[in-house]
Amino acid sequence: MKRIAIIDVGSNSARLVIMEVHTFQASNLIYNQKDPLRLALKTDRNGYLTEEAFSATITCLKNFASMCRVFHVDETIAVATAAIRNAPNGLKLAKAASEASGISLEIISGKTEAFLSYLGVINTIPVKDALVFDLGGASTEVILVKDRKLVDSISLPIGCVNLTKNFKLNNTADPAALNKMRRAIAEQMEKAPWLAGCGLPLVGVGGTARSVGKIEQKRVKYFSSKLHNYQYPIQDFKEWYKTLPNTTLAMRRRIPGLSSDRADVIIAGSTIIKALADRSKARKLVISGCGLREGLFSEYLHHNTDRALVDPDILETSRENLLHLYAQDEDHCRQVARFATKLFTGWQSLHQLEPAKWQPLLETAALLHDIGIAINYYNHTRHTGYLIENGRLFGLDHMDVVYTAIMAAWHHGINRGYLRNKPYRKYIPEVDIKRLSTGALLLALAECLDYTQTSAISEIETSIVSGSAILTITAEQTPSVELHQLSFLSKWFRKSMGLPLTVVVKENGTVSGEEQPPKAIPSDLSLLPADSSVEP
């Protein structure tokens, strides 16, 4: 196990995150700290960072270094962005802070900052084509993504802090100053002709993007406080923005969802987003909680493990991470996921769940179905649902994560009490409750097929014959425990699928070269010998 500290000294704030990396490459965040440095405000008329900026940065890094020692960090990666990068004495400050703290602070270029933000987004949000923007205190990086590849990028010297300072927008925005700022932003965006009219979704990184996402969630009373991959129409943002420039600082501090330390810079930051939306003609805004720091961590994993720099399947990677962190028996979980997928595809005509949507949810629920045992074995299905809902599961939208959690929570039986007082309950139509029940049934069947967690059943096949659903299982010998558990699901299966379930057991062991018939017959389940005629 190793602990990696990642430090981002930005133009508005500095952040420290500590990631714990286990020997099997699972990782989790164990510490996060923020210091609102506001370096973009701490410059003189010639752009030099002031003594206050030096003192604040040195103190911040010394505090971060202290926390790294407390958490026994093995390796530290620290970078500085636009405020230090653009200042004539930025290198001097970086050296002074490094010497005082013992942390090597690297000043990265705008192109590197854009690339790291791209990595943070593309490895955690399932977007194929997008305009990613990382809106900071003194710069905005804009990245054109096509087919998940970085096609072009630019770092523009406009941010929420330096624009607020230059155009004096701290309290009430003067209309003339606001118009000047808008023209300045437009001039900068002309440097990226590929922005114009591309129509791609905007994916926002940084504190301003997170702030407008929180505001929208409060406005619509969203069912979750989860920001990462929160999506909403850009028109809704524009409607809210119309009233923003006329507000005073005191009024902005009372906006639900907006933190008080963002109230003074939200006009400038939101104006940049509005300009990006207008120029690109984007229709959707996606909020990313991951950016530069996650990009740095992706680079670290790529250089120190076999992890790809750009993850080819972020859902698979993130659920594998949860599995490594919490599962008691990974082999059993993989076997259940394999069986659940076979049941889903084999009986698709019965359950009629749309494969593109429901198969990934079932496979994920099956793979993670037992992780709640890490909390407590009793009621572990409910605990599993909680971990799926709240874990770092990427590659699914918010409601799909909820659906996955419900299927996992119901695999020991439908319990509508699980949905009681859940804020998302009103968003789930009854037809999806039925579908979730069907998915939970398939997961329950799959778990029964490896109930002893010994892989006693090596293979399964499904078919539908003469008004009966046929499940053919192959085992070295009759899997009595698994068959007994399957018998408890017969009524649920008939009610959900509309057909009885018949099980055929094929034994691999032979006597005189012939397959042996089953040795145990559960009373509640039809069970046929291997040589019965069950042609599809």
Side-chain angles (χ1 to χ4, degrees):
M1 182 187 74
K2 294 185 70 175
R3 287 182 171 177
I4 312 302
I6 297 173
I7 296 171
D8 165 21
V9 181
S11 306
N12 185 53
S13 60
R15 287 182 181 269
L16 160 69
V17 297
I18 299 177
M19 301 295 297
E20 193 167 72
V21 183
H22 300 266
T23 53
F24 39 77
Q25 297 181 24
S27 61
N28 60 317
L29 174 69
I30 62 169
Y31 184 72
N32 174 59
Q33 184 177 343
K34 175 186 174 182
D35 188 334
L37 280 179
R38 290 288 174 92
L39 289 181
L41 289 179
K42 296 169 182 175
T43 58
D44 63 20
R45 64 181 61 186
N46 296 315
Y48 283 80
L49 291 160
T50 63
E51 286 300 318
E52 183 186 5
F54 273 69
S55 175
T57 305
I58 289 170
T59 299
C60 171
L61 278 194
K62 288 172 72 174
N63 289 338
F64 284 177
S66 177
M67 292 310 301
C68 288
R69 289 191 294 272
V70 168
F71 278 86
H72 305 289
V73 163
D74 298 291
E75 188 173 344
T76 301
I77 303 167
V79 299
T81 57
I84 295 179
R85 178 173 68 233
N86 296 335
N89 60 342
L91 183 59
K92 182 179 178 181
L93 186 153
K95 287 181 177 179
S98 297
E99 290 172 1
S101 65
I103 293 173
S104 178
L105 182 61
E106 177 189 359
I107 302 173
I108 59 174
S109 68
K111 282 287 185 181
T112 298
E113 186 176 356
F115 179 71
L116 291 170
S117 296
Y118 153 77
L119 285 181
V121 168
I122 209 66
N123 286 334
T124 60
I125 293 181
V127 291
K128 184 178 180 182
D129 305 314
L131 278 178
V132 177
F133 67 92
D134 184 350
L135 202 168
S139 70
T140 297
E141 284 66 47
V142 188
I143 305 105
L144 177 63
V145 178
K146 291 286 188 71
D147 197 24
R148 303 191 74 232
K149 296 180 177 65
L150 190 155
V151 175
D152 211 336
S153 68
I154 190 168
S155 181
L156 305 174
I158 48 174
C160 61
V161 178
N162 61 0
L163 290 184
T164 298
K165 177 184 177 181
N166 295 340
F167 294 94
K168 299 178 174 59
L169 302 177
N170 300 71
N171 190 13
T172 304
D174 175 66
L178 189 61
N179 286 332
K180 286 182 181 179
M181 181 178 70
R182 287 170 176 157
R183 288 195 295 270
I185 293 171
E187 288 174 7
Q188 290 295 327
M189 290 189 181
E190 288 176 3
K191 297 176 182 178
W194 38 266
L195 267 176
C198 65
L200 298 176
L202 287 179
V203 181
V205 176
T208 296
R210 291 192 297 272
S211 292
V212 299
K214 290 177 184 177
I215 292 167
E216 179 64 12
Q217 286 184 338
K218 289 291 186 180
R219 190 185 71 81
V220 300
K221 297 180 174 59
Y222 194 60
F223 68 83
S224 172
S225 61
K226 187 182 296 185
L227 270 174
H228 187 68
N229 201 23
Y230 176 56
Q231 307 181 13
Y232 65 104
I234 203 75
Q235 190 58 39
D236 291 352
F237 163 78
K238 290 182 178 181
E239 288 297 320
W240 169 79
Y241 174 81
K242 285 179 182 178
T243 62
L244 183 64
N246 297 322
T247 58
T248 64
L249 180 58
M251 293 168 64
R252 294 196 294 276
R253 283 179 173 152
R254 294 195 296 271
I255 295 175
L258 182 63
S259 61
S260 59
D261 65 346
R262 286 273 167 189
D264 59 336
V265 297
I266 193 65
I267 291 179
S270 296
T271 302
I272 295 174
I273 298 177
K274 170 70 162 49
L276 280 168
D278 288 343
R279 184 163 176 80
S280 66
K281 301 195 182 306
R283 294 183 179 181
K284 182 167 68 174
L285 180 58
V286 183
I287 309 301
S288 176
C290 298
L292 183 144
R293 291 179 296 281
E294 288 74 18
L296 285 167
F297 189 58
S298 292
E299 277 197 335
Y300 171 83
L301 290 179
H302 176 63
H303 292 311
N304 292 276
T305 71
D306 60 358
R307 186 77 61 85
L309 187 58
V310 176
D311 200 322
D313 189 332
I314 60 177
L315 174 58
E316 180 181 0
T317 298
S318 63
R319 68 191 184 193
E320 284 286 327
N321 192 67
L322 288 174
L323 186 71
H324 290 326
L325 286 174
Y326 300 116
Q328 309 297 304
D329 186 340
E330 288 191 25
D331 290 339
H332 166 65
C333 292
R334 296 187 197 286
Q335 183 79 322
V336 171
R338 185 170 73 90
F339 286 158
T341 301
K342 281 183 168 285
L343 294 173
F344 183 95
T345 56
W347 281 330
Q348 207 279 325
S349 63
L350 269 184
H351 57 70
Q352 296 185 341
L353 297 176
E354 180 188 352
K357 175 179 175 64
W358 291 94
Q359 186 171 333
L361 307 191
L362 174 61
E363 187 176 352
T364 303
L367 190 68
L368 304 177
H369 77 283
D370 268 353
I371 62 174
I373 294 173
I375 298 177
N376 192 338
Y377 182 84
Y378 298 105
N379 290 320
H380 71 264
T381 57
R382 183 181 289 266
H383 301 321
T384 294
Y386 174 86
L387 287 174
I388 290 174
E389 276 188 42
N390 296 280
R392 289 169 65 85
L393 187 60
F394 303 131
L396 300 174
D397 67 31
H398 291 182
M399 191 54 74
D400 281 347
V401 171
V402 165
Y403 279 15
T404 301
I406 293 171
M407 279 193 284
W410 281 359
H411 78 273
H412 281 184
I414 306 305
N415 178 9
R416 289 204 177 211
Y418 178 79
L419 301 180
R420 190 176 299 121
N421 299 323
K422 295 282 191 180
Y424 51 69
R425 174 62 185 93
K426 63 183 179 181
Y427 297 99
I428 306 176
E430 279 302 311
V431 66
D432 277 356
I433 294 291
K434 173 69 168 61
R435 290 165 178 154
L436 289 164
S437 172
T438 301
L441 168 63
L442 294 173
L443 174 49
L445 287 166
E447 185 184 42
C448 286
L449 290 168
D450 192 42
Y451 195 81
T452 58
Q453 301 186 22
T454 60
S455 295
I457 295 172
S458 59
E459 197 51 76
I460 65 171
E461 299 173 35
T462 58
S463 57
I464 303 170
V465 181
S466 302
S468 183
I470 309 298
L471 175 60
T472 302
I473 62 180
T474 301
E476 287 290 334
Q477 57 187 10
T478 301
S480 301
V481 174
E482 279 76 8
L483 292 173
H484 182 66
Q485 293 300 319
L486 282 172
S487 70
F488 295 126
L489 302 181
S490 59
K491 291 182 180 179
W492 186 4
F493 188 94
R494 182 186 281 272
K495 180 180 179 181
S496 182
M497 301 295 192
L499 294 178
L501 175 62
T502 299
V503 177
V504 177
V505 180
K506 294 169 64 176
E507 291 187 9
N508 291 331
T510 60
V511 177
S512 300
E514 295 183 358
E515 292 182 341
Q516 299 302 299
K519 297 181 177 67
I521 303 177
S523 58
D524 296 329
L525 194 69
S526 298
L527 191 63
L528 301 179
D531 58 356
S532 298
S533 176
V534 287
E535 292 298 323

